[in-house]
Amino acid sequence: MMLESRVADLLEAPDAKLVIERAQAILADEAQRRRAFREWIRDDIKAEFINGEVIMHSPVKRRHLDASKYLENLLQNFVLLNDLGVVDSEKALVGLTRNDYEPDICYWNSETANSFEDDQMEHPAPDLIVEILSKSTTGRDRGVKFEDYAAHGVQEYWIIDPVRKSIEQYQLDEPTMAFASVAVLYINDTLTALTIPGFQIPVQAIFDKQSNLDTLRVLMAKSA
């Protein structure tokens, strides 16, 4: 409905045809630069193509690395043990209509993952995306990515703040194709995934090594 409303508003403008033609020219040029980006990018480069710009990523702080590593450890093992699909991090390129992203963590269900091929570089919208905030990425994680992921049917989105040790959990509202808040969770809370059946962990396990190991043992025992 939101897209239809925006189109209707544009068509009401007397210069709608000129605006559309100009937008088409800009998008055609952008598509050419996107092709060049895909030819240029290598597996040792962390970069994204967003609204016509190549966004290079700087090294992150230790707390960011730990949160990513600890959460991926739990997700990866749980999904593998229960044959629920595929979990990837950092270098999995998610190609949407206009932009190319490399989210911190992605999850695809088994039906989608079974279609993946060994030489595949571009991936469709995941079921779950996790972004871990840093000073340079917060604006995009809460802005263009928040809107773009929802518009392309990502069912669940987690935003992790490694400073506050919190998780914002969002679920796709399909009638509006926008994310709706489910919960804001802190260190003493429990996170229950909506898109990964049976995945439930203490939030502390994302930020603390010992809690991560204890939680991994529990998940593995449940999956045995």
Side-chain angles (χ1 to χ4, degrees), residues 125-182:
D127 296 272
L128 166 68
I129 287 181
V130 181
E131 295 286 11
I132 301 171
L133 298 178
S134 64
K135 186 175 181 180
S136 63
T137 67
T138 296
R140 290 187 294 273
D141 292 341
R142 297 188 183 281
V144 62
K145 289 186 177 184
F146 192 91
E147 294 181 6
D148 211 4
Y149 292 163
H152 286 83
V154 174
Q155 294 294 310
E156 187 172 6
Y157 184 34
W158 300 347
I159 296 178
I160 295 180
D161 187 332
V163 176
R164 293 184 173 87
K165 296 185 177 180
S166 66
I167 303 175
E168 298 169 30
Q169 184 180 24
Y170 298 92
Q171 182 178 29
L172 182 66
D173 177 58
E174 294 192 355
T176 61
M177 293 303 286
F179 286 128
S181 177
V182 174

Side-chain angles (χ1 to χ4, degrees), residues 34 37-38 41 46-53 55 57 90-104 106 108 121-126 129 131 140-141 143-152 154 157:
R34 186 182 187 185
F37 166 78
R38 289 188 174 185
I41 195 169
K46 170 81 170 173
E48 298 176 306
F49 188 86
I50 303 176
N51 291 352
E53 294 185 35
I55 307 297
H57 289 268
E90 297 269 327
K91 291 302 298 175
L93 186 73
V94 174
L96 304 184
T97 305
R98 184 179 179 186
N99 299 320
D100 289 330
Y101 300 107
E102 291 188 338
D104 288 317
C106 299
W108 291 269
M121 184 183 82
E122 178 188 350
H123 299 81
I129 287 181
E131 295 286 11
R140 290 187 294 273
D141 292 341
V144 62
K145 289 186 177 184
F146 192 91
E147 294 181 6
D148 211 4
Y149 292 163
H152 286 83
V154 174
Y157 184 34

Side-chain angles (χ1 to χ4, degrees), residues 34-94:
R34 186 182 187 185
R35 288 191 292 271
F37 166 78
R38 289 188 174 185
E39 293 174 1
W40 164 79
I41 195 169
R42 305 189 306 270
D43 57 9
D44 61 340
I45 296 174
K46 170 81 170 173
E48 298 176 306
F49 188 86
I50 303 176
N51 291 352
E53 294 185 35
V54 176
I55 307 297
M56 301 294 296
H57 289 268
S58 303
V60 295
K61 294 182 179 179
R62 186 74 249 170
R63 57 177 171 253
H64 184 291
L65 293 172
D66 286 345
S68 179
K69 175 178 61 181
Y70 291 156
L71 179 56
E72 185 191 7
N73 181 43
L74 299 176
L75 284 169
Q76 186 75 264
N77 281 285
F78 184 82
V79 168
L80 282 173
L81 286 168
N82 292 280
D83 194 24
L84 295 175
V86 165
V87 173
D88 283 317
S89 65
E90 297 269 327
K91 291 302 298 175
L93 186 73
V94 174

